[in-house]
């Protein structure tokens, strides 16, 4: 008979044996969760000999419930993929992608610092920047160039590790960077770089999913900071602008409330979005 999830009430109608992924993982003791992930990811071998014991069979059941695509006989392929994405060429590409996003965020800030004119940029910005840099020792022009070169350098490493993509597109993109272009043009160039990075990451994700299983998300390999920069750049926002206290409070208030019992559920107004004890986001009727 299926065991109901903890604190099951009028908002929890899912049985524990129906849960998969992180929802199932969250029902296990915290000390067990990373172990299940390692077996599922191929970092640890779940051998046939192990599964013949009661403890091993229980472990196999937990791993396959967490990841229904798990196949103990496919351990070697997953292990090779995990190694490639941690220590191999693909791993280097992931590290380069994180660095690329850091440099892109920095370049976006240097673009705004440079504050080039959008009106007649090819006529006005060159002499203005020359006088400011050579005559007054303004460091902004040099800092912009250094940031652009750092982005291009890391992007090359990403392209080298993802096993495809158009290197010619990357070279053309590098040539497009002009410290005397208008600010709007420069931000458009950064957006093109984000598009190139997205294509490279998609190729890497395809490799990762092929080796690890279709439910594996390569985006998790990016650092939280890199993912935040990535999201802001795609939205055309400056990743370096910090949220105000009011914005942070509003973001917290906008997040679904996590409840742990029926009493907390009953306090919610109709139409409220909440997270039940299993980590499932729901809406109260």
């Amino acid at each position: 008979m299926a065991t109901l999830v903890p604190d099951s009430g009028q908002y929890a109608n899912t049985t524990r044996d129906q849960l998969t992924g992180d929802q199932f993982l969250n029902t296990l003791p915290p000390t067990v969760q990373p172990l299940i992930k390692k077996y599922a990811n191929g970092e640890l071998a779940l051998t046939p000999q192990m599964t013949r014991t009661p403890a091993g069979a229980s472990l196999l059941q937990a791993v396959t419930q967490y990841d229904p695509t798990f196949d103990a006989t496919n351990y070697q392929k997953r292990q090779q993929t995990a190694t490639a994405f941690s220590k191999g060429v693909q791993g280097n590409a992931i590290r380069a992608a994180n660095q690329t996003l850091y440099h892109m965020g920095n370049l976006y800030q240097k673009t705004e610092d440079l504050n080039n004119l959008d009106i007649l940029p090819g006529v006005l910005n060159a002499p203005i920047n020359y006088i400011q840099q050579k005559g007054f020792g303004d460091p902004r022009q040099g800092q912009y160039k250094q940031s652009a070169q750092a982005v291009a350098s890391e992007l090359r490493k990403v392209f080298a590790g993802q096993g495809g993509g158009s290197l010619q597109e990357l070279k053309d993109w590098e040539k497009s960077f002009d410290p005397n272009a208008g600010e709007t043009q420069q931000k458009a160039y950064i957006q093109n770089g984000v598009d190139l990075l997205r294509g490279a990451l998609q190729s890497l994700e395809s490799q990762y999913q092929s080796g690890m299983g279709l439910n594996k998300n390569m985006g998790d390999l990016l650092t939280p900071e890199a993912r935040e920069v990535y999201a802001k750049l795609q939205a055309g926002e400056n990743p370096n602008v910090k949220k105000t206290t009011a914005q942070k409070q509003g973001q917290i208030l906008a997040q679904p409330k996590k409840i742990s019992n029926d009493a907390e559920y009953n306090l919610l107004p109709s139409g409220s979005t909440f997270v039940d004890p299993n980590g499932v986001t729901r809406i109260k009727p």
Side-chain angles (χ1 to χ4, degrees):
M1 183 170 131
T3 303
L4 290 176
V5 293
D7 294 313
S8 61
Q10 52 191 307
Y11 54 87
N13 54 13
T14 306
T15 57
R16 185 173 183 271
D17 59 3
Q18 292 175 315
L19 299 175
T20 60
D22 288 339
Q23 291 180 17
F24 167 70
L25 203 64
N26 290 335
T27 68
L28 302 177
T31 54
V32 176
Q33 294 178 17
L35 190 65
I36 298 298
K37 274 191 170 183
K38 286 185 177 181
Y39 278 111
N41 292 341
E43 297 174 59
L44 295 174
L46 188 55
T47 64
Q49 292 80 1
M50 291 173 60
T51 60
R52 295 191 186 105
T53 66
S58 178
L59 176 62
L60 177 61
Q61 189 279 330
V63 173
T64 53
Q65 185 167 346
Y66 164 67
D67 180 1
T69 68
F70 177 77
D71 180 358
T73 62
N74 201 27
Y75 158 71
Q76 189 173 17
K77 184 178 180 181
R78 287 197 175 192
Q79 184 187 50
Q80 290 171 347
T81 303
T83 300
F85 275 83
S86 62
K87 302 177 183 178
V89 175
Q90 290 88 347
N92 291 335
I94 295 298
R95 285 185 284 275
N98 283 300
Q99 277 297 109
T100 299
L101 287 164
Y102 167 78
H103 289 307
M104 279 183 168
N106 187 50
L107 179 60
Y108 200 100
Q109 184 62 56
K110 298 305 180 188
T111 298
E112 293 196 341
D113 291 343
L114 195 57
N115 196 29
N116 278 354
L117 298 170
D118 283 329
I119 300 175
L120 298 176
V123 177
L124 300 177
N125 288 326
I128 292 174
N129 282 329
Y130 182 84
I131 293 171
Q132 288 177 332
Q133 183 178 20
K134 302 298 182 181
F136 298 99
D138 193 332
R140 292 177 299 164
Q141 294 77 15
Q143 290 171 344
Y144 174 86
K145 290 180 181 178
Q146 289 173 342
S147 292
Q149 290 169 354
V151 171
S153 175
E154 293 299 331
L155 258 183
R156 286 192 209 101
K157 296 176 186 177
V158 178
F159 271 69
Q162 55 92 13
S166 173
L167 289 175
Q168 187 57 49
E169 283 183 342
L170 178 58
K171 292 176 182 177
D172 293 341
W173 178 78
E174 289 181 55
K175 293 176 183 177
S176 70
F177 268 95
D178 180 2
N180 297 316
E183 182 174 319
T184 301
Q185 289 175 305
Q186 291 173 333
K187 288 182 177 179
Y189 300 151
I190 294 175
Q191 192 61 51
N192 287 341
V194 173
D195 292 340
L196 287 174
L197 179 61
R198 183 189 302 115
L201 287 174
Q202 286 173 344
S203 178
L204 281 165
E205 184 170 42
S206 178
Q207 295 178 44
Y208 190 71
Q209 290 178 342
S210 175
M212 300 297 286
L214 293 178
N215 67 330
K216 299 298 179 182
N217 184 4
M218 194 221 64
D220 292 340
L221 298 178
L222 293 175
T223 65
E225 295 79 7
R227 288 198 296 269
E228 184 176 354
V229 171
Y230 189 39
K232 287 188 174 182
L233 287 173
Q234 289 191 99
E237 300 175 4
N238 187 338
N240 305 282
V241 175
K242 304 299 181 183
K243 290 185 175 68
T244 64
T245 301
Q247 288 173 325
K248 290 179 181 178
Q249 291 175 342
Q251 189 177 39
I252 292 173
L253 292 173
Q255 292 177 347
K257 178 179 176 59
K258 185 169 184 178
I259 62 175
S260 57
N261 52 56
D262 287 344
E264 293 179 355
Y265 172 84
N266 292 331
L267 291 174
L268 296 175
S270 178
S272 297
T273 301
F274 65 96
V275 180
D276 71 16
N278 303 313
V280 179
T281 301
R282 303 175 183 273
I283 298 177
K284 182 176 180 180

